Amino acid sequence: MNRITILRKKEKLSQSELAEKLNISQQSISSYENGKREPDNETLKKLADFFNVTTDYLLGRTDDPETVALRGDEIPKELRDVGIQYLELAKEMQDKQLSPESIKNLLKVVQDIKDK
């Protein structure tokens, strides 16, 4: 069964009710659900926002429907900086081909700091 169909039925909506909420035609919803047409980018975003899932989930690229809770501009600068540092460290660890034991030791240090 198509993911749009699953999500629509989970919300107990008919095709026409969903179409009305998204300001698109019922025929379009039917075509998406039957695999006759793919939604354009704007409609795909509308569907994802309405059902609170990612566009990747709707497209079948992931089985995880969860959306990111915060947009980048909502994350405090200090936390963004830490995230960037984390990504840089991960890249460096990959480039240096650290052993699994070294990675475990690094994770233990991080966990010890977190537990304080």
Side-chain angles (χ1 to χ4, degrees):
M1 191 181 301
N2 175 300
R3 288 188 173 172
I4 297 171
T5 307
I6 293 168
L7 292 166
R8 177 180 57 77
K9 288 183 176 185
K10 183 178 174 185
E11 294 295 320
K12 297 180 169 88
L13 295 170
S14 67
Q15 288 181 348
S16 57
E17 290 170 326
L18 177 60
E20 185 177 322
K21 289 182 181 294
L22 299 178
N23 198 28
I24 58 178
S25 72
Q26 182 273 328
Q27 182 60 42
S28 292
I29 298 292
S30 177
S31 295
Y32 304 150
E33 290 186 2
N34 293 321
K36 294 179 181 174
R37 271 183 42 200
E38 296 261 328
D40 61 26
N41 285 339
E42 183 180 332
T43 304
L44 188 63
K45 289 176 190 175
K46 283 183 184 181
L47 287 161
D49 289 344
F50 180 81
F51 290 119
N52 197 31
V53 296
T54 64
T55 54
D56 280 345
Y57 176 76
L58 290 175
L59 292 170
R61 295 169 133 180
T62 180
D63 291 330
D64 183 6
E66 296 295 315
T67 58
V68 176
L70 296 173
R71 295 189 323 250
D73 61 345
E74 295 174 332
I75 300 171
K77 181 183 180 331
E78 297 80 12
L79 191 54
R80 283 196 310 265
D81 291 345
V82 168
I84 292 168
Q85 290 171 352
Y86 171 80
L87 292 172
E88 288 170 349
L89 175 62
K91 174 76 171 113
E92 189 175 320
M93 287 174 22
Q94 181 183 22
D95 290 346
K96 290 187 177 184
Q97 297 178 344
L98 294 177
S99 69
E101 188 62 33
S102 296
I103 294 170
K104 284 180 188 175
N105 289 337
L106 282 170
L107 290 173
K108 183 176 179 344
V109 169
V110 171
Q111 186 63 44
D112 290 345
I113 292 169
K114 183 178 133 188
D115 290 342
K116 288 183 178 180

